[in-house]
């Protein structure tokens, strides 16, 4: 293809990139044995860059295994040139509509009238001014400004020099109807001494039977591609599920088959796995290799995988019954790691990483948070520390619940308690029904509801079990944990963030109020003692509440003592709070590990602030954004907070890790394992707080973690900011303001006042409630990053094919 118009970079940059790929592959990625399933990158790393672009193919070579196979969907131009492009029509994956004013043409494709701008209506020269674009609109288009040109088949191979090259011929019948011979083109390519074709696939029997004799004695493998079960193969007029029953016939012209993954592991209409079919075993008996297709990290798959793409690949290569011979994917980094690092290690493999795994409301990604089922699943999944966020009921019983607002975790709005709903606009915009308005027996009568934090993207969690389980008293939680030998400890969370919200409200009404003075000081001490209850009331009720003595810290201490945790040393007890006053109270009475939670994203911390934290805590919880700040879902860089906190002998725990791809920056390639690895290896954090403990526990057992300088690129941490650097100026998101620093005034609080002996048994009439809100504190972060890519992908380049 022609050179880029007005945008160029010296060719040596591209050559340096490719040289670095070879170097990284040689040094860091031991070639898996040939019997290991192969990774086929469909259009390159098309989950990030536009399909079949130089950027997509280059990223696949950098992040995949050394023998990654580049897949090229072959289309023919008007003058018979072969190009790599994902579809017959050029509209969706390029800017052709802005280059040519032609009206869309209409052609029959497999008997269906299809309208669009087709490759057969343009010469190779015509397409020289057309650039590729991201054709899947749920993926980022920020790299479209790189103006990647459409590449010829020969040019793709000679420019990138992959160890494996796969040509997929999807529409031979269509091209033949327009006097273009795909057979002649394929022969011309395979006879080119500069190009090596390892695989040729097609869903058309006649085409493969025509070319099969030519490749029978060559190293090129012919593979029959199955489409949808009820789709009709044009040359035999049979459905593909019918052809599947005659694998002996397929063997007469092919050495393998490629099938949608649902042919192997079907799912029902609710997206739950069904028993596997016998297709892999049947095909292997016939001497056919089996390749599975339709793997995408960013498209919802079976709920059985808990949004973990590594788990899905392992189901196809490590299920105890069979393994496919290869996978076709838009995200080659994920199967590369699954096959090399995770397959066949077993659940009881030794830990390769000193990474603490702490649950977030139990395994709340699989079951309603803080229920017995969520806690049981977290234990089964290998969690180190089981957590309980403490809330108080109307009758003074401490329970485990992720939010004080029952609307967020139960079906209360569909019960007779819905009349308890109240709203305080100054504190929260939505309504709430709060735990202290109901007795424990009332709360136990409610149904738990699973949390789906990514529901705005239509990503829901485990709907079959969305109301499963029962909530626990703190004493019941402690009893469960105390009898579980696999646990290293428990974490009790006592949050007062709602009190911080009322601080903000007070400042809003009286901005001249000095910190820790007058009414502000009074509210601070009251909130620290009574946890979130103070949020319900204005200053008129403050004196009344102070007399009620609603002390969460005392309730927690009592429960821990009664469970024997004050005397045993088998399991450690971690007390977490965003209130230094709460932690100081525990520090004076126990030897428990105290964990300070910073509720807001921060860009750094003053040395004096870190010294203050050390007075009352030995560990700190920070947000992911405090480690790797994001800008429009791209990592913008890394802070130094982790290293500075650790230099002060403070352990750094980071929250919250979720498997849903929408919860991760683009840089992590829609793969929770890539994210965890980047935080652990790249930033050096001490622990993760996660909704999905199984993913984190499996990560720290993978065999690639201790390979030193032989660590493969797919198990190397990403370089923060590297993808953002590949976004051209016209696509760059606006720069974001830097995160605030954590200061002493954010941490230092007055000591807790004595708690009155009386108990709050009812809610005064006319009072209002609010859910927890941010406390206004900044947050900390730091990282030491090892690059994922040895050389950044070329943003602008020029070459001739």
């Amino acid at each position: 293809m022609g050179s880029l118009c007005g945008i160029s970079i010296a060719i040596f940059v591209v050559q340096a990139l490719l040289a670095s790929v070879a170097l990284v592959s040689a040094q860091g990625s031991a070639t898996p044995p040939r019997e290991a399933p192969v990774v086929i990158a469909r259009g390159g790393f098309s989950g990030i860059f536009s399909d079949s672009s130089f950027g997509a193919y280059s990223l696949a070579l950098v992040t995949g295994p050394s023998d990654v196979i580049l897949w090229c969907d072959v289309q023919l131009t008007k003058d018979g040139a072969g190009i790599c492009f994902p579809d017959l029509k050029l509209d969706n994956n390029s800017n052709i509509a802005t280059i040519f004013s032609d009206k869309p043409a209409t052609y029959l494709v497999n008997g269906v009238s299809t309208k669009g701008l087709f490759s057969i209506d343009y010469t190779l020269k015509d397409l020289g001014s057309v650039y590729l674009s991201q054709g899947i609109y749920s993926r980022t288009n920020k790299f479209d400004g790189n103006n990647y040109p459409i590449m010829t088949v020969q040019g793709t191979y000679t420019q990138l020099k992959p160890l494996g090259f796969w040509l997929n011929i999807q529409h031979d019948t269509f091209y033949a109807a327009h006097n273009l011979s795909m057979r002649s083109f394929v022969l011309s390519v395979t006879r080119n001494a500069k190009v090596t074709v390892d695989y040729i696939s097609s869903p058309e029997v006649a085409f493969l039977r025509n070319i099969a004799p030519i490749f029978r004695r060559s190293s090129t493998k012919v593979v029959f591609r199955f489409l949808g079960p009820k789709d009709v193969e044009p040359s035999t007029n049979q459905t593909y599920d019918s052809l599947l029953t005659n694998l002996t016939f397929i063997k007469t012209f092919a050495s393998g088959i490629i099938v949608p993954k649902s042919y192997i592991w079907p799912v029902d209409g609710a997206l739950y796995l069904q028993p596997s079919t016998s297709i892999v075993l049947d095909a292997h008996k016939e001497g056919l290799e089996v390749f599975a297709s339709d793997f995408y990290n960013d498209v919802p798959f079976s709920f059985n995988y808990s949004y973990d793409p590594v788990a899905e690949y392992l189901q196809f290569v490590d299920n105890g019954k069979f393994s496919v011979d290869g996978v076709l994917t838009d995200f080659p980094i994920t199967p590369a790691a699954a096959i090399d690092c995770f397959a066949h290690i077993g659940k009881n493999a030794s830990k390769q990483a000193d990474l603490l795994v702490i649950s977030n409301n139990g395994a709340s990604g699989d079951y309603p948070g803080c229920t017995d089922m969520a806690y049981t699943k977290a234990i089964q999944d290998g969690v180190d520390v089981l957590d309980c966020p403490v809330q108080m009921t109307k009758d003074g019983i401490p329970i485990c619940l992720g939010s004080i607002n029952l609307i967020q975790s139960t079906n209360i709005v569909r019960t007779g308690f819905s009349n308890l709903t109240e709203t305080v606009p100054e504190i929260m915009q939505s309504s709430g029904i709060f735990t202290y308005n109901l007795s424990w027996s009332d709360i136990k009568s409610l149904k738990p509801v699973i949390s789906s934090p990514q529901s705005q993207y239509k990503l829901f969690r485990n709907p079959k079990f969305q109301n499963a389980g029962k909530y626990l008293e703190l004493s019941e939680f402690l009893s469960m944990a105390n009898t579980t030998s696999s646990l290293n400890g428990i974490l009790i969370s006592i949050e007062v963030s709602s009190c911080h919200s009322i601080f903000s409200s007070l400042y809003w009404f009286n901005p001249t109020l000095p910190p820790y003075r007058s009414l502000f000081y009074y509210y601070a001490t009251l909130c620290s003692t009574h946890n979130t209850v103070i949020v319900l009331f204005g200053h008129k009720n403050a004196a009344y509440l102070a007399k009620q003595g609603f002390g969460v810290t005392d309730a927690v201490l009592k429960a821990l003592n009664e469970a024997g945790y004050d005397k045993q040393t088998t399991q450690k007890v971690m007390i977490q709070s965003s209130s230094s006053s709460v932690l100081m109270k525990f520090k004076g009475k126990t030897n428990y590990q105290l964990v300070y939670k910073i509720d807001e994203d921060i860009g750094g911390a003053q040395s004096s602030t870190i010294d203050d934290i050390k007075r009352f805590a030995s560990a700190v919880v920070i947000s992911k954004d405090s480690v790797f700040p994001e800008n429009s879902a791209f990592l913008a860089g890394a802070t130094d907070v982790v290293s500075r906190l650790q230099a002060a002998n403070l352990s750094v725990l980071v929250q919250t890790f979720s498997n849903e791809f929408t919860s991760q920056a683009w840089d992590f390639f829609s793969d929770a394992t890539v994210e965890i690895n980047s935080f652990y290896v790249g930033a050096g954090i001490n622990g993760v707080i996660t909704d999905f403990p199984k993913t984190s526990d499996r990560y720290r057992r993978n065999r690639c973690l201790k390979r030193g300088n032989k660590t493969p690129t797919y198990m190397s941490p990403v370089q923060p900011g590297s993808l953002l650097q590949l976004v051209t100026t016209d696509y760059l998101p606006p720069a974001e303001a830097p995160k605030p620093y954590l200061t002493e005034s954010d941490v230092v609080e007055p000591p807790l006042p004595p708690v009155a002996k009386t108990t709050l048994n009812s809610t005064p009439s006319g009072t209002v409630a609010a859910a927890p809100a941010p406390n206004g504190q900044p947050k900390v972060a730091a990282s030491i990053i090892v690059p994922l890519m040895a050389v950044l992908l070329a943003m602008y380049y020029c070459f001739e094919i």
Side-chain angles (χ1 to χ4, degrees):
M1 295 298 293
S3 60
L4 298 181
C5 300
I7 303 179
S8 65
I9 191 170
I11 191 67
F12 74 84
V13 174
V14 177
Q15 294 171 337
L17 168 65
L18 298 178
S20 70
V21 171
L23 180 62
V24 169
S25 297
Q27 292 181 342
S29 182
T31 302
R34 284 311 304 165
E35 63 267 17
V38 296
V39 175
I40 310 154
R42 191 188 70 84
F45 207 130
S46 51
I48 293 293
F49 290 98
S50 50
D51 194 307
S52 305
S53 68
F54 182 85
Y57 284 129
S58 298
L59 186 57
L61 291 175
V62 172
T63 61
S66 60
D67 62 347
V68 64
I69 298 169
L70 299 188
W71 168 286
C72 166
D73 281 298
V74 180
Q75 315 299 339
L76 296 179
T77 63
K78 186 176 183 178
D79 49 350
I83 59 174
C84 294
F85 197 86
D87 193 47
L88 275 171
K89 301 191 300 176
L90 306 177
D91 318 43
N92 194 46
N93 290 86
S94 77
N95 68 339
I96 191 170
T98 66
I99 304 299
F100 299 100
S101 58
D102 303 341
K103 292 182 178 180
T106 301
Y107 296 112
L108 284 178
V109 180
N110 292 338
V112 178
S113 181
T114 306
K115 188 177 183 180
L117 300 175
F118 289 78
S119 64
I120 60 172
D121 292 324
Y122 301 91
T123 66
L124 184 62
K125 183 178 180 180
D126 292 335
L127 298 181
S129 58
V130 176
Y131 302 134
L132 295 166
S133 61
Q134 179 56 259
I136 298 178
Y137 298 144
S138 60
R139 295 173 178 170
T140 181
N141 69 339
K142 296 298 185 183
F143 304 111
D144 288 354
N146 287 294
N147 292 344
Y148 292 118
I150 295 174
M151 301 174 70
T152 65
V153 174
Q154 295 93 327
T156 299
Y157 185 88
T158 57
Q159 288 290 323
L160 295 152
K161 297 180 175 61
L163 293 183
F165 196 38
W166 188 309
L167 302 184
N168 180 58
I169 314 300
Q170 196 77 1
H171 297 288
D172 172 66
T173 301
F174 173 81
Y175 287 111
H178 295 274
N179 299 316
L180 292 169
S181 174
M182 189 64 78
R183 180 182 186 275
S184 297
F185 172 75
V186 169
L187 291 179
S188 70
V189 172
T190 56
R191 290 169 180 167
N192 185 336
K194 296 182 179 180
V195 178
T196 299
V197 177
D198 300 279
Y199 297 86
I200 298 173
S201 63
S202 177
E204 298 186 9
V205 170
F207 173 74
L208 293 184
R209 296 185 73 183
N210 188 292
I211 67 168
I214 302 171
F215 298 104
R216 190 153 288 150
R217 295 185 179 180
S218 76
S219 61
T220 302
K221 296 181 179 183
V222 175
V223 180
F224 180 59
R225 186 179 191 185
F226 283 80
L227 301 182
K230 299 305 178 184
D231 290 340
V232 177
E233 194 283 319
S235 58
T236 62
N237 203 34
Q238 295 185 52
T239 60
Y240 285 96
D241 61 354
S242 176
L243 287 169
L244 192 62
T245 64
N246 195 355
L247 292 176
T248 303
F249 168 65
I250 304 298
K251 177 62 178 174
T252 63
F253 59 85
S255 63
I257 58 174
I258 183 167
V259 297
K261 62 186 181 184
S262 59
Y263 274 49
I264 301 171
W265 283 101
V267 296
D268 60 20
L271 288 183
Y272 285 93
L273 278 182
Q274 301 300 293
S276 63
T277 67
S278 62
I279 181 173
V280 176
L281 296 175
D282 293 344
H284 284 168
K285 287 179 182 178
E286 292 291 341
L288 292 166
E289 291 184 297
V290 181
F291 305 93
S293 64
D294 298 354
F295 287 94
Y296 318 97
N297 290 7
D298 58 352
V299 174
F301 34 81
S302 172
F303 289 112
N304 297 75
Y305 305 128
S306 299
Y307 289 101
D308 183 350
V310 171
E312 182 181 34
Y313 285 109
L314 291 176
Q315 188 77 5
F316 286 81
V317 303
D318 181 17
N319 57 53
K321 296 180 181 179
F322 59 80
S323 171
V324 298
D325 299 287
V327 292
L328 177 62
T329 175
D330 289 16
F331 295 83
I333 190 173
T334 304
I339 293 166
D340 185 23
C341 306
F342 293 97
H344 310 293
I345 62 173
K347 182 179 180 181
N348 296 321
S350 59
K351 296 175 184 177
Q352 306 296 308
D354 185 20
L355 178 69
L356 192 68
V357 177
I358 304 173
S359 65
N360 181 50
N361 303 333
S364 56
D366 294 305
Y367 294 100
C370 298
T371 60
D372 57 339
M373 295 188 70
Y375 287 132
T376 300
K377 182 69 163 57
I379 293 169
Q380 293 171 349
D381 289 346
V383 72
D384 292 319
V385 178
L386 204 63
D387 76 303
C388 169
V390 176
Q391 311 296 342
M392 297 297 290
T393 66
K394 183 178 179 179
D395 44 350
I397 296 175
I399 64 173
C400 299
L401 200 63
S403 171
I404 195 173
N405 184 1
L406 291 166
I407 292 177
Q408 295 179 5
S409 55
T410 72
N411 69 333
I412 194 167
V413 294
R414 295 188 176 95
T415 70
F417 300 113
S418 60
N419 63 335
L420 297 177
T421 302
E422 294 176 322
T423 303
V424 181
E426 292 84 2
I427 300 174
M428 59 180 292
Q429 295 304 310
S430 57
S431 301
I433 304 175
F434 304 100
T435 58
Y436 45 73
N437 284 333
L438 278 78
S439 68
W440 174 226
S441 61
D442 291 336
I443 293 176
K444 286 194 293 184
S445 71
L446 304 174
K447 286 184 179 181
V449 174
I450 198 167
S451 170
S452 291
Q454 303 299 315
S455 60
Q456 68 268 37
Y457 301 107
K458 307 301 180 185
L459 299 180
F460 300 95
R461 292 176 171 176
N462 205 6
K464 186 182 290 187
F465 296 93
Q466 62 180 328
N467 301 120
K470 64 177 184 178
Y471 290 121
L472 304 178
E473 293 182 37
L474 176 57
S475 60
E476 294 173 313
F477 167 85
L478 295 175
S479 177
M480 170 188 279
N482 214 352
T483 56
T484 304
S485 60
S486 63
L487 287 177
N488 291 345
I490 57 172
L491 182 147
I492 306 299
S493 176
I494 304 173
E495 294 306 332
V496 294
S497 57
S498 294
C499 293
H500 291 285
S501 297
I502 207 164
F503 296 167
S504 301
S505 178
L506 286 170
Y507 273 118
W508 189 82
F509 286 112
N510 185 5
T512 62
L513 196 63
Y516 307 119
R517 306 288 184 189
S518 186
L519 189 60
F520 183 86
Y521 177 88
Y522 187 69
Y523 270 86
T525 55
L526 193 60
C527 280
S528 296
T529 305
H530 300 285
N531 198 23
T532 50
V533 178
I534 188 63
V535 182
L536 298 175
F537 310 98
H539 68 276
K540 292 181 180 179
N541 301 103
Y544 171 82
L545 285 177
K547 297 176 183 179
Q548 305 308 307
F550 199 28
V552 178
T553 55
D554 290 338
V556 169
L557 281 169
K558 180 181 178 183
L560 286 168
N561 292 343
E562 290 178 349
Y565 275 94
D566 58 330
K567 298 181 179 64
Q568 63 94 36
T569 58
T570 305
Q571 292 180 350
K572 66 181 177 183
V573 176
M574 305 171 73
I575 304 295
Q576 173 186 295
S577 181
S578 57
S579 168
S580 60
S581 297
V582 169
L583 297 180
M584 286 296 289
K585 182 169 183 178
F586 279 92
K587 186 176 181 67
K589 296 183 178 180
T590 72
N591 292 320
Y592 302 150
Q593 182 180 7
L594 305 182
V595 182
Y596 183 56
K597 178 183 176 183
I598 302 172
D599 277 332
E600 296 301 317
D601 300 332
I602 61 170
Q606 297 174 351
S607 297
S608 56
T609 306
I610 296 176
D611 290 338
D612 283 331
I613 294 174
K614 285 179 62 179
R615 290 189 303 106
F616 57 81
S618 61
V620 177
V621 174
I622 59 176
S623 68
K624 294 191 295 185
D625 218 46
S626 297
V627 181
F628 298 139
E630 290 186 20
N631 184 358
S632 301
F634 286 95
L635 297 187
T639 70
D640 67 349
V641 177
V642 173
S643 59
R644 295 197 63 219
L645 290 172
Q646 290 175 339
N649 293 320
L650 290 166
S651 296
V652 179
L653 312 174
V654 177
Q655 67 172 22
T656 304
F657 287 83
S658 299
N659 285 357
E660 292 95 339
F661 59 89
T662 50
S663 71
Q664 303 148 13
W666 295 112
D667 306 65
F668 299 127
F669 308 129
S670 302
D671 184 342
T673 298
V674 174
E675 182 181 44
I676 295 167
N677 186 57
S678 297
F679 275 87
Y680 174 67
V681 177
I685 68 173
N686 300 103
V688 296
I689 299 173
T690 175
D691 301 339
F692 298 89
K694 186 174 184 177
T695 301
S696 296
D697 179 60
R698 187 189 58 225
Y699 161 75
R700 61 186 176 174
R701 299 177 191 273
N702 86 78
R703 64 172 68 92
C704 294
L705 280 174
K706 290 189 175 180
R707 292 185 180 174
N709 60 6
K710 294 185 180 295
T711 300
T713 55
Y714 39 82
M715 196 46 66
S716 298
V718 304
Q719 180 181 356
S722 61
L723 280 186
L724 196 59
Q725 292 179 45
L726 300 179
V727 178
T728 54
T729 303
D730 48 333
Y731 280 85
L732 274 175
E736 293 190 350
K739 306 294 183 187
Y741 261 55
L742 190 69
T743 64
E744 290 183 73
S745 62
D746 298 311
V747 173
V748 176
E749 294 177 356
L752 296 177
V755 179
K757 294 182 180 181
T758 54
T759 303
L760 182 64
N761 292 318
S762 60
T763 303
S765 60
T767 60
V768 291
N775 68 0
Q777 295 177 339
K779 287 195 172 172
V780 191
S783 69
I784 305 167
I785 303 303
V786 181
L788 170 63
M789 290 182 264
V791 178
L792 293 179
L793 293 174
M795 199 184 300
Y796 306 114
Y797 59 96
C798 62
F799 59 85
E800 300 289 336
I801 292 175

